[in-house]
């Protein structure tokens, strides 16, 4: 099985512009391909995970990744999947976010000599002359066709700014520039990027002739990945300072039963034969599948050692007697106590499980809080110095844990 066939078998390929030619290029390691990442935060999240795993798979098969960070497009903001306009970022913030991205990507992608490269579209987009861009690039785009694109149609009711309307042209120009200067002959992106990507392919053909080879592929990337990237409490980040390895592990450990095998197939590097054997798993076996998924992905992002620690901490929470020293922990000092005690609402806030005392009160009264596996329903509950020195494990909901320890 070639790498293209494996991507199909893993459920990653959604649409392509020329399947036979794309298959031959990828399987023979002749693709120089790019995926873009707009630096809207200082960390990647699990919504980017599928793209990173894809780049790793293709690089392992001999293809060359071009990581494009959108220092230029980030100043405009992608309207895809949005109901309002993105906040404008400063040049300094965008550059900081780009720097953070590369550090995280190095866990997935080899940026060694003649391997993958990282480029920033600010290097060419910010130098463009507006009138020249209108004449050379704008003339290649039909406004009627652009307005039919899903990324614009969903914004028309609330208002689409002219700033955002230019995003498709800028993204298309990226592919045109990368094709000319880096020999980039293929682009990958999510379902919601299809119109923008087709724009890039068409621009190359219009400017360089029909014989110019530029391939387009979309994946089940953003449609699935963006759902993966969000939880009820916010994003699941790849930065351990934002989402700890334990929290990252628990996120995957608690995926829905119906999603676990799909996630294993799409995101892990386990052999397909091994995954196929799991298709018949049910009941307690699905819990084992979730543990496999959580361990594999935590090891991929944070390393084997952190994955083992997270696994041990998870086992401790569920009463198997494992070491709980690796559980997320908040250290307290005597100044945090009042009359030698710490009330439950303050404890929830200090642990980071709740953002405010009002949120803590709401979770307690709704029955969503426990301490050392005992449900807490009274907001007047407090913990003594001795209890806190021994350690109090707080839980909010089914997935959020923190251990409070007085030092």
């Amino acid at each position: 099985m070639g790498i293209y066939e494996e991507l199909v078998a893993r459920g990653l390929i959604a649409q392509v512009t020329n399947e036979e030619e794309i298959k031959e290029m990828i399987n023979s390691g002749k693709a120089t391909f790019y995926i873009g990442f707009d630096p809207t935060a200082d960390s990647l999240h699990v919504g980017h995970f599928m793209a990173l795993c894809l780049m790793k798979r293709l690089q392992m098969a001999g293809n060359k990744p071009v990581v494009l960070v959108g220092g230029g497009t980030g100043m405009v903001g992608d309207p895809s999947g949005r109901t309002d306009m993105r906040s404008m970022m400063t040049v300094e913030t965008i550059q900081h976010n780009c720097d953070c991205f590369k550090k995280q990507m190095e866990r997935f992608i080899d940026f060694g000599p003649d391997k993958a490269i990282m480029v920033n579209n600010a290097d060419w987009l910010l130098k463009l002359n507006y009138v020249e861009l209108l004449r050379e690039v704008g003339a290649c785009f039909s406004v009627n066709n652009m307005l039919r694109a899903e990324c614009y149609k969903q914004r028309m009711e609330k208002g689409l700014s002219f700033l955002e309307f230019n995003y498709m042209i800028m993204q298309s120009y990226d592919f045109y520039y990368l094709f000319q200067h880096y020999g980039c002959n293929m682009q990958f992106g999510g379902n919601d990027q299809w119109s923008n990507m087709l724009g890039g392919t068409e621009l190359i053909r219009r400017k360089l002739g029909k014989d110019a080879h530029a391939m387009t592929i979309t994946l089940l990337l953003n449609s699935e990945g963006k759902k993966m990237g969000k939880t009820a409490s916010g994003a699941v980040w790849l930065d351990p300072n934002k989402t700890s390895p334990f929290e990252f592990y628990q996120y995957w450990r608690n995926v829905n039963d119906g999603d676990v095998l799909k996630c294993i197939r799409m995101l892990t590097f386990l052999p397909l034969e091994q995954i196929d054997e799991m298709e018949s798993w049910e009941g307690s076996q699905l819990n084992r599948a979730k543990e496999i998924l959580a361990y594999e992905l935590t090891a991929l992002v944070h390393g084997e050692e952190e994955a083992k620690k997270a696994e041990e901490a998870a086992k401790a929470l569920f009463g198997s007697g494992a070491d709980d020293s690796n559980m997320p922990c908040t250290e307290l000092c005597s100044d945090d106590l009042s009359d030698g005690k710490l009330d439950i609402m303050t404890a929830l806030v200090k642990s980071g499980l709740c953002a405010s005392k009002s949120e803590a009160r709401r979770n307690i009264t709704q029955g969503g809080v426990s301490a050392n596996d005992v449900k807490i329903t009274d907001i007047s509950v407090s913990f003594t110095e001795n209890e806190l020195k021994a350690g109090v494990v707080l839980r909010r909901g089914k997935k959020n844990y923190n251990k409070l320890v007085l030092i």
Side-chain angles (χ1 to χ4, degrees), residues 4 11-17 22 54 186-198 215-222:
Y4 182 83
L12 291 168
I13 302 296
Q15 299 179 81
V16 299
T17 54
I22 286 171
L54 172 79
M186 196 174 294
Q187 57 180 336
F188 284 75
N191 284 355
D192 59 354
Q193 296 295 310
W194 183 241
S195 297
N196 294 345
M197 295 166 66
L198 288 179
M215 301 299 161
T216 300
I217 294 181
T218 68
L219 314 175
L220 294 173
L221 184 63
N222 291 343

Side-chain angles (χ1 to χ4, degrees), residues 55-87:
M55 298 185 101
K56 182 179 178 71
R57 292 185 206 279
L58 290 171
Q59 187 177 47
M60 290 169 62
N63 299 285
K64 184 176 181 179
V66 177
V67 177
L68 174 69
V69 289
T73 44
M75 292 187 177
V76 173
D78 184 359
S80 301
R82 301 283 299 187
T83 57
D84 56 359
M85 193 168 79
R86 295 182 187 273
S87 301

